[in-house]
Structure formats: structure tokens, C-alpha cells
Amino acid sequence: MQTHTPTTPFGRRTMSLGMMASQAVAKTAPEGAQVQKWKVFHTIREARDLIGATDRALAILNALLSFHPESELSGDGELIVWPSNEQLMARANGMPATTLRRHLAVLVDCGLIIRRDSPNGKRFARKGRGGQVDQAYGFDLAPIVARAEEFEELADAVRAEKNAFRLAKERLTLLRRDVVKLIETGIEENVPGNWGRVQQTYQAIVGRLPRSAPRQLIEDICCDLHSLYTEILEVLESFAKTQNPDANESHSGRHIQNSNPDSIFESEEGSRKEDEAGDNAAENDNLQSLPKRELPLGIVLDACPDVKDLVQGGEIRHWRDFLAAAEVARPLLGVSPSAWREACEAMGEVQAAITLAAILQRSDQINSAGGYLRSLTDKAREGKFSTWPMVMALLRAKLDASRSSAEKPTEPQSDGNKARGRLEVSDALLRSLERPRR
């Protein structure tokens, strides 16, 4: 008697076009096709996100495969298994019955198995006299055989994506490390360049990175970081080539000018022009009296304490913090980007930032901060300007104000309060401040 293979589910379960498509795919398995069931299960597990299967569903699929007696699944063999829910729950590590039914439905929707339900919905097999299975009702594993190559391709795609994602994250880590350390090198080595703006550009790029980012976003950020890294590296290498190996600390302030106003760095050609200007200025008698060493950051902050109000926390520990504060002070003072760029080209970024901090400190006495900065920039080009006299004048004014307030009769204060109200300077600096002005 001929048997009928059921295609619709039992009871209230409805039939869908997706189930019909899965059954159609199961019939396309080539004759004699054989797959290693655990090997194909491994590829399904790797590609589960693309297939749409869940971890619990794969645990049930693993249990279903264990009920198949052979290690291979053959398109010509019997591929229906008929375990009861109790047996499946036992082999799925005690999964609850409701969870089992829900994830069995997931396997059906993903096209990994087909329901072959009996008339009463129970799962069983009817065998002949020789022990062979004449009719079985349960779960058909034929789609696994028919789609084995598809699962392998999906697993390869997942592996390729994981590898690309890993390489993208490695590249991002390396670029972030290189950019940060190159910026620190440029600041510590006094390489001319708008390093405060470079840091802001870097922070804007990495600020687009969320806690969990897709690969495409990481690659886009890597492209932006690589462009920034290339620009920084070119500036540092160009500056290193122009340096005289015998140059001392007084020669570390050469400036690099760039014809491109949008660049955050300065070029080598302007460096040679500035060196020539510096050589001519060195012959000027007025410049011979100016100090040749760099101003310490602590003295600059003592003379210009208002700049500390522009940084979060009110604390400046490094020159890079000072440069970042100068970038904030520029628009507050109404200094145009072109005036600031010209000042950085003529003085160097650190000296320009010190000048801007001094202008901020005296903002109540200066009508046009931008015009004043341009005037000092012109003097710097002629070699007739140094930040030392400006900073010393601010310190002297602060010291005079401290002395005048100390001479006024006030209420008695404790020694601790007096110590906090007095400007503390070294003896050498005090002697320098008390010299008569020329």
C-alpha cells in the first residue's frame, strides 16, 4: 500500500509559504549527496546569525541530530527522527517544554527541519517485517543535506567578516596610539604646528566611536585617523630633516610657514625664511638683551592665571593643556583665525599661546585684542619681540600689587593666610624683576 508524506502541520499550527519553500528546497538535494552531520552542524552554528537560528534552537538541533543513528546524512536514506518531547528535553539539558516548542518552531521557520506530523500529531515510526522503516512521523532533516553548501558559504562569509572586523580594530588601536604619541612628540620637541587644533581634530574623530561600533564605521574612522597620522608624520619628518644636529636649545624655535591656510601645520619653506629673519635679528642689539631660554610653564601661569579658568577643572599641567586653553581663548578675545595663524607662523605656537594668554590677562586694558596681536606679530617677524618682557611685566605688576596691599593697614592675619596671599618667586627671578626698566 502506498504511503503519503504529510506536508502540513498538525492541529492549530498554520501552514506558511516559507514552510512550502523549505520543503521545495529539501527536494533539490542531488542524488547520492552525503554530508557529515556534525561537520555541517558546526557550519550552521557559525552562520546562525545569518540563518536566523538562536542558541536554544541549535541546542535542540544538536539533540535531533543525535537521534539519527548514522554519522552521515544521505539524501537517499531515511532522514526523519521521531523523539518525544521528553527525550528531546533530556538531551537538551532539561530545557522546559514551552521553550522547547518555541525553538522547534524557530528551526522550522529557518528551514533547518520540516515537520512530518502524524494524523494524531504524535511522533512514531511504522516498521515492516524486516525491521525497515515503512513510515515515520517526526522531524525531517532533509533540508540540512540540501542546503549544506549554502551553510558552508554563509559560514565562510561570517569568518571573513570576523577577520575583517578584527583587523579593523587592530588598525584602529595602532592608529590611535601612533597619533597620540606623535602629537606628544611634536609638543615636547617644540615642533612648529597648531598642535592644539590637531588634538581637537583627533578628539573629534575618535568621539564618533560608540561603545559598540560596526566594522564599516571603524574603517571610516581609520581612514580619517590615517589621513591625520600621515599629515603629522610628514611635518615631524620634515622638521627633523631641517634640524642642525649641533643645534642647542636656543635654536629650537624655528618656524615653518605653509602657503595652505587650511592646513593645521606649517611648511619647510617658511622655516628657511624664518631662519634668515632670525639670523638678521640676532645681529640686532635690542634682541641681544632678550633671554634665549624658554619660559617655564609655571612662570607663565603665575603671570597669566586667567587662562586657567578656560580649562575644565581649572588645572593646566602640560603645554598641550595650555595650547588647548589658548584655542578656547582666541574666539573669546575676538581674534580672527587668520591673525592667530599668522602669529603661530611668526612666533611658534607655544610663544603665540603665551602672547594670547598675556593679552587675555590684560583684556580690560586692550581695546582690540586682534589688532594688538597683529602688531606683535609684525614685530616678531622683524625679530623685535619676545614673550619674556611681556610675562615679566605682568609678574612685576602682580608683585607691585601684592606689596601695595601688604603696606595698607589691615586686620591681623595668621601666618598661613599671609602665605597664601603673597606671590612666591625665586630670589633670582625677584632680582630680575627689580632691575630698572630700560
Side-chain angles (χ1 to χ4, degrees):
M1 183 178 178
Q2 188 177 3
T3 60
H4 174 73
T5 301
T7 59
T8 58
F10 171 78
R12 296 182 179 180
R13 299 188 186 97
T14 59
M15 187 65 179
S16 66
L17 294 178
M19 294 180 185
M20 295 181 63
S22 299
Q23 295 179 19
V25 170
K27 296 177 182 180
T28 61
E31 294 184 7
Q34 290 184 342
V35 296
Q36 296 287 335
K37 65 178 183 180
W38 298 122
K39 181 179 179 181
V40 72
F41 175 74
H42 179 71
T43 59
I44 292 173
R45 185 172 56 189
E46 285 188 305
R48 65 180 180 273
D49 292 335
L50 298 180
I51 297 173
T54 61
D55 294 339
R56 294 289 187 91
L58 291 182
I60 298 173
L61 181 60
N62 179 77
L64 288 173
L65 290 174
S66 69
F67 284 102
H68 191 275
E70 304 296 334
S71 61
E72 292 183 348
L73 301 178
S74 174
D76 300 333
E78 182 60 48
L79 295 176
I80 297 178
V81 292
W82 53 92
S84 64
N85 282 354
E86 288 75 13
Q87 291 173 319
L88 278 176
M89 290 162 55
R91 294 202 185 183
N93 302 320
M95 185 180 296
T98 54
T99 306
L100 177 70
R101 288 191 291 269
R102 184 169 65 253
H103 290 284
L104 278 172
V106 172
L107 291 177
V108 174
D109 292 339
C110 293
L112 293 174
I113 61 174
I114 299 173
R115 289 183 183 274
R116 303 296 186 188
D117 288 346
S118 65
N120 61 1
K122 295 185 179 296
R123 302 176 201 128
F124 62 91
R126 185 178 294 113
K127 298 182 180 180
R129 292 183 179 180
Q132 74 279 6
V133 177
D134 291 339
Q135 181 72 37
Y137 299 100
F139 299 106
D140 193 350
L141 304 177
I144 296 178
V145 180
R147 300 177 62 188
E149 293 184 1
E150 176 191 347
F151 296 149
E152 185 64 34
E153 293 176 357
L154 293 176
D156 289 339
V158 170
R159 285 191 288 266
E161 176 64 24
K162 287 183 178 180
N163 185 59
F165 188 69
R166 177 180 59 82
L167 293 177
K169 290 197 297 184
E170 288 180 359
R171 186 186 181 205
L172 176 64
T173 301
L174 293 176
L175 283 171
R176 293 183 66 175
R177 184 184 70 190
D178 286 350
V179 170
V180 169
K181 291 196 174 184
L182 288 179
I183 291 175
E184 292 178 351
T185 301
I187 295 175
E188 293 173 359
E189 297 292 337
N190 294 323
V191 179
N194 197 338
W195 297 110
R197 183 177 169 190
V198 176
Q199 284 184 315
Q200 290 180 348
T201 303
Y202 168 75
Q203 293 295 339
I205 293 174
V206 298
R208 294 157 40 201
L209 191 66
R211 183 181 297 273
S212 179
R215 178 179 60 87
Q216 187 58 47
L217 177 59
I218 293 179
E219 290 181 348
D220 292 342
I221 292 176
C222 285
C223 290
D224 295 340
L225 283 178
H226 186 266
S227 299
L228 182 62
Y229 162 77
T230 303
E231 191 172 358
I232 297 173
L233 191 63
E234 288 177 355
V235 169
L236 294 180
E237 290 178 348
S238 177
F239 182 79
K241 291 178 181 178
T242 60
Q243 294 304 294
N244 183 354
D246 298 330
N248 55 26
E249 186 179 0
S250 64
H251 295 133
S252 62
R254 292 182 291 176
H255 310 303
I256 305 173
Q257 184 177 5
N258 193 344
S259 59
N260 181 9
D262 296 330
S263 176
I264 55 179
F265 295 108
E266 304 159 347
S267 68
E268 182 178 350
E269 180 180 358
S271 176
R272 289 193 294 268
K273 295 180 181 179
E274 192 65 26
D275 287 340
E276 295 174 1
D279 293 339
N280 296 333
E283 298 174 359
N284 192 319
D285 294 338
N286 294 332
L287 265 191
Q288 291 179 356
S289 61
L290 297 178
K292 299 298 182 182
R293 63 182 187 275
E294 297 291 339
L295 276 165
L297 178 60
I299 291 181
V300 175
L301 294 178
D302 283 341
C304 312
D306 290 353
V307 74
K308 293 189 288 186
D309 296 336
L310 303 180
V311 298
Q312 188 175 5
E315 188 173 5
I316 297 177
R317 297 183 179 181
H318 308 286
W319 281 112
R320 57 176 176 267
D321 300 334
F322 187 80
L323 296 177
E327 289 289 340
V328 178
R330 180 194 64 76
L332 293 179
L333 292 172
V335 176
S336 65
S338 59
W340 174 243
R341 183 171 56 251
E342 292 174 3
C344 291
E345 292 171 355
M347 307 177 191
E349 190 181 20
V350 173
Q351 299 302 316
I354 295 174
T355 304
L356 198 65
I359 293 176
L360 175 66
Q361 194 64 32
R362 298 175 53 200
S363 59
D364 57 337
Q365 305 173 16
I366 298 175
N367 294 328
S368 175
Y372 187 46
L373 181 62
R374 288 185 184 274
S375 174
L376 297 179
T377 300
D378 293 338
K379 291 183 180 180
R381 290 197 184 100
E382 299 173 359
K384 298 180 179 180
F385 174 73
S386 171
T387 54
W388 266 90
M390 177 179 283
V391 172
M392 293 301 108
L394 289 172
L395 284 175
R396 185 180 293 109
K398 190 174 182 180
L399 185 63
D400 292 343
S402 176
R403 286 178 175 175
S404 61
S405 61
E407 292 174 357
K408 295 179 180 180
T410 57
E411 296 180 1
Q413 298 181 356
S414 63
D415 294 340
N417 293 334
K418 290 181 180 180
R420 285 193 297 269
R422 184 176 66 249
L423 176 66
E424 297 181 1
V425 296
S426 64
D427 295 339
L429 181 59
L430 187 61
R431 289 194 297 270
S432 176
L433 291 174
E434 292 178 347
R435 291 175 185 172
R437 299 183 182 180
R438 298 181 179 180

